[in-house]
C-alpha cells in the first residue's frame, strides 16, 4: 500500500507561485490586495478613535462648535474608508479571475503536452482533478488565497499599531492584553482544526440533528393524527 508522502510544494512555494503569476500577468492584484489591507486597518483605527474622541469632548463639556466638527470628521473618515474598501473589493475581483484564468491555461497546457501513457494513469487524472478543483470557481483556494494574504497583512499592520499604542500603557495592561490574545488564538486554532481532526468520523452534531428532525417529524404526524381523531369525534357528537 502506497503511503501518503508530503508534498514538495509548501506554503512558501505556493505563495511565491501565486505572487509571481499575478506580477507577470495582473500586477494590479498585488497593489489592490495591499490597498485592501491598508484600508481595513485605517477603518479599524478610525472606529477605534471615534468613540474616545467624542466622549472626551462630552466629558470636558466642550462647546457645540467643537463637538460637531469632531463628529463630522470621524463620520466622513469612516464613510470614505468604507466606500474605498467597497470600491477596491469590487475591482479586485476581476484581477483575481484573470489570475485564475492564467493558472487554468497552465494546467491545460501541462495536460495537453503530456504523453499518452501518463494521460491514462490514475495518478495523473486524480492530480488533474484536484488542480481543476483548486481554480474552478470564485470560492476556490486560488481565489480565496488573496483574502488570506490581505488578512495576514491586516493583522501584521494592526499588531504594529496596537504595539505602538500599548507602549504608552501600563505593563499590567500589556500583560493582560497579551495573555488574552494568546489564549484567544490558541482557542480559535483548536476549534478551527476540530473538523480536520475528526474528518474520518461521522459528525455527532449531524446525527443529533437528524434524530431531532426524525422525532419532530414523528411528533408532527402524531399531532396530526390526534387532531384528526378529535375532529372526527366532534363531528359524530354534533351530528
Amino acid at each position: 500500500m502506497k503511503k501518503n508522502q508530503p508534498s514538495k510544494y509548501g506554503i512558501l512555494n505556493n505563495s511565491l507561485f501565486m505572487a509571481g503569476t499575478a506580477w507577470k500577468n495582473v500586477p494590479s492584484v498585488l497593489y489592490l490586495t495591499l490597498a485592501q489591507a491598508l484600508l481595513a486597518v485605517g477603518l479599524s483605527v478610525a472606529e477605534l478613535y471615534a468613540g474616545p474622541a467624542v466622549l472626551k469632548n462630552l466629558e470636558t463639556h466642550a462647546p457645540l462648535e467643537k463637538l460637531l466638527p469632531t463628529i463630522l470628521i470621524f463620520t466622513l473618515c469612516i464613510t470614505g474608508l468604507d466606500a474605498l474598501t467597497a470600491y477596491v473589493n469590487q475591482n479586485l475581483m476581476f484581477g483575481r479571475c484573470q489570475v485564475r484564468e492564467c493558472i487554468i491555461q497552465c494546467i491545460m497546457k501541462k495536460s495537453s503536452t503530456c504523453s499518452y501513457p501518463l494521460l491514462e494513469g490514475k495518478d495523473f487524472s486524480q492530480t488533474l482533478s484536484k488542480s481543476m478543483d483548486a481554480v474552478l470557481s470564485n470560492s476556490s483556494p486560488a481565489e480565496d488565497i488573496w483574502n488570506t494574504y490581505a488578512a495576514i497583512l491586516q493583522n501584521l499592520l494592526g499588531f504594529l499599531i496596537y504595539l505602538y499604542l500599548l507602549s504608552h500603557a501600563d505593563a499590567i495592561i500589556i500583560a493582560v492584553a497579551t495573555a488574552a490574545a494568546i489564549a484567544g488564538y490558541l482557542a480559535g486554532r483548536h476549534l478551527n482544526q476540530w473538523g480536520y481532526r475528526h474528518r474520518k468520523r461521522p459528525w455527532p452534531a449531524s446525527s443529533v440533528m437528524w434524530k431531532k428532525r426524525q422525532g419532530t417529524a414523528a411528533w408532527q404526524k402524531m399531532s396530526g393524527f390526534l387532531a384528526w381523531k378529535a375532529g372526527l369525534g366532534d363531528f359524530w357528537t354534533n351530528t
Side-chain angles (χ1 to χ4, degrees), residues 79-100:
T79 304
L81 290 175
D82 195 11
L84 286 175
T85 302
Y87 176 79
V88 169
N89 293 336
Q90 189 68 25
N91 286 274
L92 189 58
M93 177 179 62
F94 304 104
R96 292 177 177 180
C97 292
Q98 292 180 6
V99 174
R100 280 197 299 115

Side-chain angles (χ1 to χ4, degrees), residues 53-58 60-74:
V54 174
L55 290 176
K56 183 179 180 180
N57 290 329
L58 292 176
T60 56
H61 302 284
L64 192 61
E65 293 80 6
K66 186 179 179 180
L67 178 61
L68 288 180
T70 303
I71 297 175
L72 182 62
I73 289 173
F74 278 102

Side-chain angles (χ1 to χ4, degrees), residues 12-14 17 29 31 36-37 62-63 66 68 80 86-87 95 101 139 151 163 186 194 196 198 212 236:
L12 181 59
N13 292 330
N14 293 332
F17 172 76
V29 173
Y31 302 138
Q36 184 183 25
K66 186 179 179 180
L68 288 180
Y87 176 79
E101 290 178 358
S139 59
L163 188 63
L186 294 176
W194 187 91
Y196 180 78
H198 300 82
K212 288 183 178 179
W236 285 109

Side-chain angles (χ1 to χ4, degrees), residues 94-150:
F94 304 104
R96 292 177 177 180
C97 292
Q98 292 180 6
V99 174
R100 280 197 299 115
E101 290 178 358
C102 295
I103 298 175
I104 292 174
Q105 290 177 2
C106 294
I107 296 173
M108 292 293 99
K109 182 179 179 181
K110 182 67 176 179
S111 61
S112 61
T113 54
C114 286
S115 60
Y116 285 107
L118 288 178
L119 292 176
E120 296 176 354
K122 183 179 179 181
D123 294 337
F124 179 82
S125 60
Q126 290 180 351
T127 304
L128 180 60
S129 178
K130 292 180 180 179
S131 301
M132 293 304 298
D133 290 339
V135 295
L136 196 58
S137 63
N138 292 334
S139 59
S140 60
E143 184 83 14
D144 195 58
I145 191 173
W146 301 110
N147 295 328
T148 305
Y149 290 158

